[in-house]
Amino acid sequence: MDGINTYFVSWAAREVGLKVALSGLGGDELFAGYRTFADTPRLARLELASRFVPGAFRRISAPLVNSLLRQGSSADGARKASDAWLMPDALPHAYFFTRLLFPPSELSHLMDARYRSSTVGQDGVTLEPTWLGWLERVADQAHAMESIAGISWLEMRTYMVSTLLRDTDSVSMARSLEVRVPLLDTPLVEFMTALPDEARVQPGRAKGLLLAAVDAVLPAEILNQRKRTFTLPWEEWLRNSLRPRVEASFQNIAPALAPHLHAAGVKMVWDNFLNGQTSWSRPWSLYVLNEWCRQHLS
């Protein structure tokens, strides 16, 4: 669901005759440009506070916490944070709450959780961890680092490796475009990961070290721009031109997916989107998953 933006950019690059392109991928991860670098410490403090509160009181107060959190963030962000309050042990690191697509409290509406057993590795001895065990291993590594360094490690080890790099490689090559990532050059990554937190960030200036490095090269109107996301108008498309296709897909869950996905939960996500209670990314992810299963799984 996440690579289609890069697909369109790669298509446009090839249309004008480019064969190689440079990507800034890795900049946010190394130079603390994502909101996760601010959100994760806040959620960690919320988790810590919740552990001193009895579970029954957390459940009673969850709606109030959600209401208070909505005043400073989106509805989806407030749900993630209220889940961190309600079930602080659901995930092994506060960072994972910031990257969730569906909060744990909502997953039961979509599916019945199933956990596979660990498997034996190729050496016949080592146990390969389950997905949750893998998250715990990565979280343990992050906990051994300073706060900013740990979040940077989690960003690179999870979202960047599992999603961004894979998506960029596959969809750019689908357009016969080679994408290179200079900010992930080994010496630069090694230099940045060796820095203490106090040297990594500059208060009030996102990606301060990166900006300082190119200060004499780029004009001020570029250096002083606010951070912008790259998002195609999915909100508008899903509400208008794509709506009939998405609704038809949701009314016919792919046979391979139907035993695992609750149709009523899918409808709830779609209705929440239409009512402005959740972002476009949630129904879009379910639509892409459903259509992929329909095309590739018998």
Side-chain angles (χ1 to χ4, degrees):
M1 57 161 287
D2 211 30
I4 193 166
N5 292 356
T6 305
Y7 178 86
F8 282 124
V9 172
S10 301
W11 169 83
R14 283 296 293 156
E15 285 293 297
V16 298
L18 296 179
K19 295 183 178 180
V20 180
L22 300 181
S23 168
L25 206 157
D28 286 312
E29 292 83 355
L30 282 176
F31 296 94
Y34 285 132
R35 283 188 55 182
T36 54
F37 287 90
D39 292 343
T40 301
R42 286 197 288 264
L43 284 180
R45 291 192 291 269
L46 185 67
E47 282 186 346
L48 180 62
S50 71
R51 289 188 169 91
F52 294 94
V53 178
F57 183 79
R58 291 204 305 269
R59 288 189 291 273
I60 294 172
S61 61
L64 175 62
V65 171
N66 185 283
S67 178
L68 292 173
L69 292 169
R70 283 196 181 202
Q71 298 175 16
S73 66
S74 65
D76 289 338
R79 277 193 286 267
K80 294 178 184 181
S82 62
D83 267 22
W85 166 261
L86 188 61
M87 48 187 81
D89 297 318
L91 294 167
H93 197 286
Y95 163 81
F96 296 121
F97 281 99
T98 71
R99 283 295 183 191
L100 285 173
L101 193 58
F102 296 97
S105 61
E106 295 184 10
L107 279 179
S108 59
H109 299 293
L110 277 173
M111 60 182 292
D112 297 321
R114 294 181 175 88
Y115 299 95
R116 67 169 176 82
S117 302
S118 295
T119 54
V120 179
Q122 294 182 354
D123 60 6
V125 178
T126 307
L127 281 179
E128 299 291 341
T130 63
W131 68 269
L132 186 56
W134 188 87
L135 292 184
E136 290 172 343
R137 176 188 295 177
V138 177
D140 287 343
Q141 294 165 334
H143 283 307
M145 305 175 186
E146 293 185 273
S147 176
I148 299 299
I151 299 168
S152 177
W153 166 251
L154 288 165
E155 284 286 0
M156 290 191 292
R157 193 68 185 87
T158 58
Y159 185 51
M160 187 185 80
V161 169
S162 299
T163 300
L164 297 180
L165 284 174
R166 291 180 63 185
D167 286 351
T168 298
D169 183 56
S170 60
V171 301
S172 62
M173 292 307 294
R175 305 306 310 178
S176 299
L177 180 74
E178 180 182 343
V179 174
R180 298 177 182 174
V181 284
L183 293 181
L184 291 176
D185 192 45
T186 301
L188 178 59
V189 173
E190 291 177 342
F191 173 78
M192 288 300 301
T193 54
L195 291 177
D197 275 5
E198 61 182 356
R200 278 175 173 261
V201 296
Q202 297 180 3
R205 196 182 194 198
K207 292 190 281 191
L209 280 184
L210 181 59
L211 295 179
V214 296
D215 189 53
V217 180
L218 298 179
E221 56 266 28
I222 292 180
L223 293 173
N224 296 328
Q225 286 188 49
R226 64 178 179 84
K227 180 176 173 60
R228 292 174 295 178
T229 59
F230 170 51
T231 305
L232 295 170
W234 293 108
E235 178 88 21
E236 177 184 345
W237 291 346
L238 288 179
R239 292 184 182 277
N240 296 286
S241 58
L242 287 178
R243 180 171 178 173
R245 181 179 296 186
V246 172
E247 291 183 335
S249 176
F250 287 165
Q251 291 170 7
N252 182 24
I253 302 299
L257 190 58
H260 309 286
L261 201 62
H262 299 163
V266 174
K267 183 179 184 303
M268 183 185 72
V269 172
W270 180 242
D271 289 342
N272 285 344
F273 165 72
L274 294 177
N275 295 328
Q277 297 173 348
T278 194
S279 71
W280 60 268
S281 59
R282 294 182 177 186
W284 173 250
S285 69
L286 294 174
Y287 168 74
V288 170
L289 175 63
N290 193 37
E291 291 306 306
W292 189 92
C293 291
R294 194 190 317 281
Q295 291 184 36
H296 299 289
L297 299 181
S298 59

